Amino acid sequence: MQLPFLVLSVAAAVLRVADTTPPKLPEPLPDTTVTTTAPPTESVEEVLVEAPEPRYVAPNRRDRIGRVWAPVLINGKGPFRLVLDTGASGAAVIQSVVTRLGISTANARTVRLQGVTGSAIVSTIPVDTIEVGDLLLQGKHLPIVPDAFGGAEGVLGGEGLRDMRIAIDFRHDEISIMRSRKQRMEGGFTAIPLTFSRNGLPTLEASIGTIRIRAILDTGAQVTVGNNALRDLLKRRRAESGMTEIVGVTLDVAQGQVIPVSSLHIGRIEVRGLRLTFGDMSIFELWKLQREPVLLIGMDIVGSFDAMVIDYPKRELQIRTRGGA
């Protein structure tokens, strides 16, 4: 009997860098500069006061990569703080949520869970409803996954989002998931066309220099990861890079090569000062994306924006950079 299958693209931040120097504290995140080629508008000086601990939307800081959490009700209880993962096929929760829901795991169904770095067989729990904003899912089985989400209580994947508009505001610590009316884009945003793969992955065109890339928007990944096909096209010398380890949602560890990249273009937006991780990740094999240059755009890039809208029916990604366009 073939087990049900669920893909979660959540990957923890880079844990260790292979080096011959003595151990030291993690270095601050490199400064990431984001610019657009849209005509400049009049700027207004602003003073931003950040909360000590964001409730749902955390921007990048020098000592911490951002995250997007959604306040989700399960069986009417909660809200539980789940990582919004646009690269995942469904939702999942950690054991503490199961305990709070009071659901028995005796005779539980199992599912094969596929993460960025590997797969595992995990138990599931039946739930009647999953609710956040206008999203309502009914009669689902949620996998129970390890607690590897940096304070979150699980994952909210792309299931049910096909007619939704997700608005993420890093400045004001807000997220909304509402039914799309294909409304006009607000001022100060830059629109980037989206396409969706057979698996529902939000995909956009990007480039590094003259290399055209298929980029997948992956809000569940803490770091941006490229496949080896892209790494080989960059033709970087080994001396310019370092090795690192990435831990996926299944707790499998994969080796990655960290390479500095001067700039990445996403539509009219240019992101500079990046250190991208490349490797033969299990998820690329699952998606059959080993041969063409592919990049999973994670929260190290997304969290450097001021606000972002994913409008699924409009097939559009809208980005507002910090300080405006």
Side-chain angles (χ1 to χ4, degrees):
M1 178 178 177
Q2 186 174 6
L3 291 173
F5 195 78
L6 178 73
V7 176
L8 296 185
S9 65
V10 171
V14 172
L15 295 183
R16 292 182 292 274
V17 176
D19 201 342
T20 58
T21 57
K24 60 182 180 179
L25 293 175
E27 296 181 358
L29 290 175
D31 291 331
T32 301
T33 304
V34 183
T35 61
T36 73
T37 57
T41 58
E42 184 180 355
S43 62
V44 178
E45 184 176 355
E46 296 181 351
V47 177
L48 302 182
V49 180
E50 294 182 337
E53 175 61 31
R55 295 173 304 162
Y56 300 117
V57 176
N60 280 358
R61 300 175 182 172
R62 288 191 60 81
D63 62 344
R64 188 174 182 179
I65 291 177
R67 274 296 195 191
V68 176
W69 303 282
V72 179
L73 296 175
I74 302 176
N75 289 351
K77 298 180 179 180
F80 300 100
R81 197 162 68 164
L82 306 189
V83 173
L84 176 68
D85 187 354
T86 55
S89 59
V93 294
I94 63 175
Q95 180 60 47
S96 64
V97 174
V98 180
T99 302
R100 287 176 60 187
L101 292 173
I103 299 176
S104 172
T105 56
N107 302 317
R109 293 186 186 179
T110 57
V111 65
R112 178 174 293 277
L113 183 71
Q114 175 67 52
V116 170
T117 57
S119 64
I121 306 298
V122 299
S123 298
T124 67
I125 57 168
V127 299
D128 295 325
T129 59
I130 303 170
E131 300 175 77
V132 53
D134 287 343
L135 176 66
L136 173 62
L137 302 175
Q138 296 177 299
K140 298 297 177 181
H141 280 79
L142 299 184
I144 306 170
V145 295
D147 188 354
F149 304 110
E153 296 169 296
V155 172
L156 179 68
E159 184 180 12
L161 297 179
R162 288 298 184 92
D163 59 349
M164 296 294 166
R165 179 182 187 270
I166 303 174
I168 300 164
D169 190 330
F170 290 100
R171 181 184 302 185
H172 298 105
D173 187 16
E174 294 176 351
I175 178 173
S176 68
I177 301 178
M178 300 296 173
R179 200 169 302 279
S180 171
R181 300 188 300 275
K182 297 185 179 181
Q183 54 263 55
R184 182 177 299 180
M185 182 176 63
E186 297 180 9
F189 281 80
T190 299
I192 300 171
L194 282 177
T195 58
F196 293 92
S197 70
R198 289 178 300 176
N199 299 326
L201 298 171
T203 305
L204 47 91
E205 294 294 327
S207 63
I208 298 176
T210 59
I211 302 172
R212 296 176 63 86
I213 303 166
R214 178 189 293 196
I216 297 170
L217 184 64
D218 189 358
T219 58
Q222 197 166 352
V223 294
T224 297
V225 179
N227 64 0
N228 285 336
L230 176 56
R231 180 202 61 186
D232 294 342
L233 286 174
L234 291 174
K235 298 179 180 178
R236 295 279 184 170
R237 298 193 305 270
R238 182 177 295 275
E240 295 178 335
S241 63
M243 299 303 295
T244 190
E245 292 181 349
I246 294 181
V247 179
V249 68
T250 59
L251 301 185
D252 292 293
V253 179
Q255 296 293 322
Q257 188 174 26
V258 180
I259 298 177
V261 174
S262 58
S263 65
L264 169 71
H265 285 85
I266 307 170
R268 295 202 310 270
I269 292 177
E270 180 185 15
V271 185
R272 296 195 296 263
L274 293 171
R275 292 176 61 83
L276 302 181
T277 301
F278 297 88
D280 188 18
M281 305 299 166
S282 176
I283 199 74
F284 292 131
E285 181 179 358
L286 174 71
W287 288 338
K288 303 186 185 306
L289 295 175
Q290 304 106 307
R291 296 185 178 181
E292 63 176 300
V294 174
L295 196 64
L296 304 182
I297 298 180
M299 288 305 301
D300 54 340
I301 291 178
V302 174
S304 66
F305 303 140
D306 186 62
M308 181 176 74
V309 173
I310 309 170
D311 196 317
Y312 280 79
K314 201 173 181 181
R315 293 179 173 267
E316 193 170 78
L317 175 67
Q318 302 167 11
I319 292 173
R320 186 177 69 210
T321 59
R322 293 183 185 177

